[in-house]
Amino acid sequence: MSAAARRAALATTGVLVLLAGAEAVGRAGIAGPSWPPLSEVAAHLLDADRRATVVRAASATLASAAEGLLAGVLVAAAAAFTGLLLPPLRPGLDRLAALLHAVPVIALAPLLITTVGREATPTVVAGLGAGFVMFVAFSSGLSLGGRRSTHDDVFDALGANRVRRLLRLQLPASVPTVLDGLTLAAPAAVLGATIGEWFGAPRGLGVLIVSAMQNFQVTLLWSAAACATALSLAAYGLTTALQRAAVRRMA
């Protein structure tokens, strides 16, 4: 058995053991009524009418997460490029990014609701979650690409300015680091969108989770949480595949 096949077998075994343990805990009632057997959660999702409710909520969450991720990437890239092209602004941008990341979402929620509205709050929270990760990734990648090398000597000899050096040298060199950041930013966007929906959004998995908690609909709660987890795992898997393909292409 190859090393890759062995790792896959061990990972599959670990997942199966975890699922079996969760099912056993639910069947035995060790954790009380708030921990149902996973088979009941699966049956809930297999029911057409109940599944439709979860799927509609997941679609809204996915849309908010995708919009927030896109906005976070664009703003982070613009901030990183500005700090690189205008070095005096770099410390201030770093501190601003750290400050926004440090503010708890629960403190930002009332401000966001009154400024951007309840419907846009999940997108903004998703963008904040993804934006900080991408800002760090862009800044680190561009810094690595800006280290002195023979390529820099060539650009110096050709009289390239900062913008041309950024577009032709530093940005391509930063692609692996940026994609590494994207593998973390995509799940963070899903989590941010779900949390942002808790504060009064009209639809989404976060709304479904809060409603299920308030009405003690345990199976629905677990179904929505499982769907949010699946979205995060799918986002991580997709961005990881993209990152590996880009690394192979640029190797």
Side-chain angles (χ1 to χ4, degrees):
M1 181 182 293
S2 65
R6 190 180 301 111
R7 287 195 298 268
L10 289 174
T12 302
T13 302
V15 171
L16 292 177
V17 170
L18 179 63
L19 294 177
E23 175 71 13
V25 170
R27 289 291 177 187
I30 297 174
S34 61
W35 188 300
L38 293 185
S39 56
E40 291 185 8
V41 178
H44 186 278
L45 291 173
L46 290 175
D47 182 86
D49 294 334
R50 294 172 176 174
R51 183 175 65 247
T53 301
V54 178
V55 169
R56 283 195 300 270
S59 299
T61 299
L62 182 60
S64 297
E67 293 172 1
L69 177 62
L70 178 60
V73 169
L74 294 177
V75 172
F81 294 163
T82 301
L84 182 68
L85 297 174
L86 302 173
L89 297 181
R90 176 67 184 273
L93 291 172
D94 289 345
R95 294 188 183 94
L96 177 61
L99 178 63
L100 290 176
H101 181 66
V103 177
V105 176
I106 192 65
L108 283 176
L111 177 62
L112 293 176
I113 291 173
T114 56
T115 53
V116 302
R118 296 181 184 276
E119 291 194 9
T121 294
T123 299
V124 176
V125 175
L128 290 173
F132 178 76
V133 177
M134 293 308 301
F135 176 75
V136 173
F138 273 112
S139 299
S140 300
L142 293 172
S143 298
L144 292 174
R147 292 181 177 178
R148 294 299 302 181
S149 65
T150 55
H151 298 89
D152 291 276
D153 296 333
V154 173
F155 275 76
D156 288 339
L158 294 175
N161 56 27
R162 287 182 178 178
V163 175
R164 189 174 297 275
R165 188 187 299 269
L166 169 64
L167 297 178
R168 298 292 181 86
L169 176 62
Q170 293 169 289
L171 187 57
S174 71
V175 168
T177 304
V178 170
L179 291 178
D180 279 339
L182 191 62
T183 62
L184 301 177
V190 175
L191 175 61
T194 304
I195 294 176
E197 290 164 350
W198 291 4
F199 303 106
R203 65 189 69 84
L205 289 173
V207 177
L208 205 60
I209 290 173
V210 171
S211 176
M213 285 192 299
Q214 292 173 343
N215 295 284
F216 203 70
Q217 295 175 294
V218 178
T219 307
L220 177 60
L221 171 62
W222 278 75
S223 299
C227 191
T229 303
L231 287 180
S232 295
L233 290 175
Y236 177 77
L238 181 62
T239 51
T240 299
L242 177 63
Q243 187 266 349
R244 290 176 178 174
V247 169
R248 286 195 301 266
R249 176 67 178 83
M250 300 181 66

